[in-house]
Amino acid sequence: MASRTRKTPETRRAEITRAAAHLISRHGYNGISLKDVADLVGMSQPGILHYVGSKEGLLSLLVTDIYDVNGTPEEFVQTGLPGSDPTHPRLPAYFDYLVEHNAGRPELTRLYTVLQTEAIAPNHPLHDYFIRRPDSVWEHYSAFPWKLPDGLEWERDMRDYVRMSLEVMDGIQIRLLRKPEIDYVQEWRRFGNLLFPSPTWDDCR
Amino acid sequence: MASRTRKTPETRRAEITRAAAHLISRHGYNGISLKDVADLVGMSQPGILHYVGSKEGLLSLLVTDIYDVNGTPEEFVQTGLPGSDPTHPRLPAYFDYLVEHNAGRPELTRLYTVLQTEAIAPNHPLHDYFIRRPDSVWEHYSAFPWKLPDGLEWERDMRDYVRMSLEVMDGIQIRLLRKPEIDYVQEWRRFGNLLFPSPTWDDCR
DNA sequence: CAACATATCTAATATGCATTAGATATTTAT
DNA sequence: ATAAATATCTAATGCATATTAGATATGTTG
């Protein structure tokens, strides 16, 4: 019989989210069972439920993780990186930051990509969350005083840029699912150069 | 008791693939049961199995469907469309054709996008199929005498263009999952113009 | 060291599901 | 109209799973 090891709720929760992220980012929410998570953590199925309440509760844990961790503009304007001046932050610089951020968290990025697709099912626990996402992201971004090239205005002109940039990231991330060894940052830069070309954007990148 | 209606195998198979495509393109393979398909078709679970043999057999049916239908370069060079001259086909014109083709089959396109993501799970029935896909697509394309701008060569220069184009399509298709009403063709054109810009590509689009 | 709180387990329950076996109805050909 | 072929069904099987109930062990605090 396995020796019963008891750990603090914090470490256990961390172990569980870690294991769940690993499994779900590969198999999707529908592709795993609580038993799979339990086995990977090294405890029993009800042991997991003690922490997450239900299978859906497991997802909630992950989402808050994703949400907290995802490189936000708030985070960016505090980095002091080029283009991160809080009074005139620059969108291309932020996107570079975002991509580097996600490239450094491949597991969470995988998870996000997998869940985003799985969640188009109307009965998926995260359906509403992901449906709202593009709009809420736009609103979120809109709160920042981005510096734009002369003649371009946020509300009028930047919806396309933002939407296309996020589409590109999604596309690259799909490719990343199959070939994790490809260089996300480098691939993104190719598109960044197309989307924000010289000389228009030279001062705003 | 339901009146037993008997139809020809052809129509039944068509009904089944149609129902399965509808359901799987929304819920994924792991998200549906044979019962769901059976209910939608209006027959019993074993009735479905009579035709598909097993749940995996259902997928095989769909894949051949996807495969046959997907707008290939072969198809394109027979259309007589601008840029489709079989001795000098043009890549941007083909991509436009491909996107229009897929835009006209939204259900199969959804299906493809959903399955592609779900199939990163190593134990997914379509795992190998989708892992091989990028390479086999490249080889497939390589068999055609594409007309390229001066100075560009297929093997040396076009891998990036092809890969990036397909990444963009994947990205747009993810967005399409959530907002089916957006215009795939129009969104693709924005990227096409960036990827194949004037004046370099003027004669080869 | 005693007692409490709780993390973890084993066992049980109920449900959903893919698949199989065998019966029945419907079509088609003679 | 009868018979063969087969499409379709009902019923049964067995497995995986989420969840619950109740027992037990472990850490912590006084």
Side-chain angles (χ1 to χ4, degrees):
Chain A
M1 57 215 78
S3 64
R4 212 182 259 200
T5 46
R6 183 195 185 117
K7 304 183 178 174
T8 85
E10 287 68 34
T11 43
R12 264 288 128 95
R13 243 183 284 272
E15 286 178 5
I16 292 171
T17 51
R18 195 173 129 70
H22 182 81
L23 290 171
I24 297 181
S25 74
R26 275 163 183 76
H27 301 273
Y29 178 69
N30 287 327
I32 63 136
S33 71
L34 289 177
K35 175 114 189 334
D36 297 332
V37 181
D39 288 349
L40 190 54
V41 173
M43 60 193 295
S44 72
Q45 213 163 328
I48 302 291
L49 279 172
H50 172 71
Y51 286 99
V52 302
S54 70
K55 197 186 175 188
E56 281 199 29
L58 190 62
L59 262 192
S60 313
L61 238 69
L62 294 182
V63 173
T64 54
D65 246 44
I66 296 174
Y67 201 81
D68 289 348
V69 164
N70 250 349
T72 59
E74 281 88 339
E75 225 175 88
F76 173 60
V77 297
Q78 289 173 353
T79 59
L81 288 170
S84 71
D85 175 0
T87 64
H88 302 297
R90 302 176 183 193
L91 194 63
Y94 167 61
F95 282 153
D96 289 349
Y97 170 77
L98 174 59
V99 167
E100 276 165 35
H101 184 93
N102 285 334
R105 286 153 184 78
E107 188 122 298
L108 277 184
T109 305
R110 277 175 82 97
L111 179 66
Y112 185 88
T113 306
V114 167
L115 284 178
Q116 160 173 294
T117 307
E118 196 178 30
I120 53 148
N123 59 340
H124 193 283
L126 296 180
H127 182 74
D128 290 348
Y129 172 77
F130 278 109
I131 287 287
R132 283 194 243 280
R133 199 95 216 295
D135 283 347
S136 69
V137 165
W138 171 256
E139 285 167 23
H140 191 171
Y141 288 1
S142 296
F144 289 80
W146 306 103
K147 178 175 185 189
L148 303 178
D150 289 345
L152 289 188
E153 279 175 36
W154 180 255
E155 276 289 341
R156 194 193 55 201
D157 304 307
M158 296 308 293
R159 286 196 124 92
D160 291 346
Y161 285 87
V162 170
R163 189 190 60 247
M164 291 170 77
S165 298
L166 297 183
E167 281 167 358
V168 163
M169 292 178 205
D170 283 338
I172 300 175
Q173 285 175 200
I174 288 216
R175 176 72 58 126
L176 265 171
L177 290 179
R178 293 187 280 214
K179 270 184 130 61
E181 70 271 20
I182 73 172
D183 187 333
Y184 188 179
V185 175
Q186 180 188 330
E187 188 71 3
W188 160 252
R189 287 221 185 90
R190 297 173 186 273
F191 284 104
N193 291 336
L194 291 179
L195 284 161
F196 306 103
S198 298
T200 313
W201 284 85
D202 279 341
D203 278 348
C204 299
R205 256 189 313 222
Chain B
M1 59 213 80
S3 65
R4 211 182 260 201
T5 45
R6 182 194 185 118
K7 304 184 178 174
T8 83
E10 287 68 34
T11 43
R12 266 288 129 98
R13 242 182 286 272
E15 287 179 4
I16 292 172
T17 52
R18 194 173 130 72
H22 182 82
L23 290 172
I24 297 181
S25 74
R26 275 162 183 76
H27 302 273
Y29 178 69
N30 286 327
I32 62 135
S33 70
L34 290 177
K35 174 110 191 335
D36 297 331
V37 180
D39 288 349
L40 190 54
V41 173
M43 58 192 298
S44 71
Q45 212 163 328
I48 302 291
L49 278 173
H50 173 71
Y51 286 99
V52 302
S54 69
K55 197 185 174 189
E56 281 199 30
L58 189 62
L59 261 193
S60 313
L61 237 70
L62 293 183
V63 173
T64 54
D65 246 43
I66 296 174
Y67 201 82
D68 290 348
V69 164
N70 250 350
T72 59
E74 281 88 339
E75 224 176 270
F76 173 59
V77 297
Q78 289 173 354
T79 58
L81 288 170
S84 72
D85 174 0
T87 63
H88 301 297
R90 303 178 182 192
L91 195 63
Y94 166 62
F95 282 152
D96 289 349
Y97 170 77
L98 174 59
V99 168
E100 277 166 36
H101 183 92
N102 286 333
R105 287 154 183 75
E107 188 123 297
L108 276 184
T109 304
R110 277 175 83 97
L111 181 65
Y112 185 89
T113 306
V114 168
L115 284 178
Q116 156 172 284
T117 307
E118 196 178 31
I120 53 149
N123 59 341
H124 193 283
L126 296 180
H127 182 74
D128 290 348
Y129 172 78
F130 278 110
I131 287 288
R132 283 195 245 279
R133 200 95 216 293
D135 284 347
S136 69
V137 166
W138 171 257
E139 285 167 25
H140 192 172
Y141 287 1
S142 296
F144 290 79
W146 305 103
K147 178 174 184 192
L148 304 178
D150 289 344
L152 289 190
E153 280 176 34
W154 180 255
E155 277 288 343
R156 194 192 56 199
D157 304 307
M158 296 308 294
R159 287 196 120 93
D160 291 346
Y161 286 87
V162 170
R163 188 189 61 247
M164 291 170 77
S165 298
L166 298 182
E167 280 167 357
V168 163
M169 293 178 204
D170 283 338
I172 301 174
Q173 285 175 199
I174 288 215
R175 176 71 58 123
L176 265 170
L177 290 179
R178 294 187 279 214
K179 270 185 130 64
E181 69 272 20
I182 73 172
D183 186 332
Y184 188 0
V185 175
Q186 180 188 331
E187 189 70 2
W188 160 251
R189 286 221 186 90
R190 296 173 186 274
F191 284 104
N193 290 336
L194 291 178
L195 284 161
F196 306 104
S198 298
T200 314
W201 284 84
D202 279 341
D203 278 348
C204 299
R205 252 186 318 217

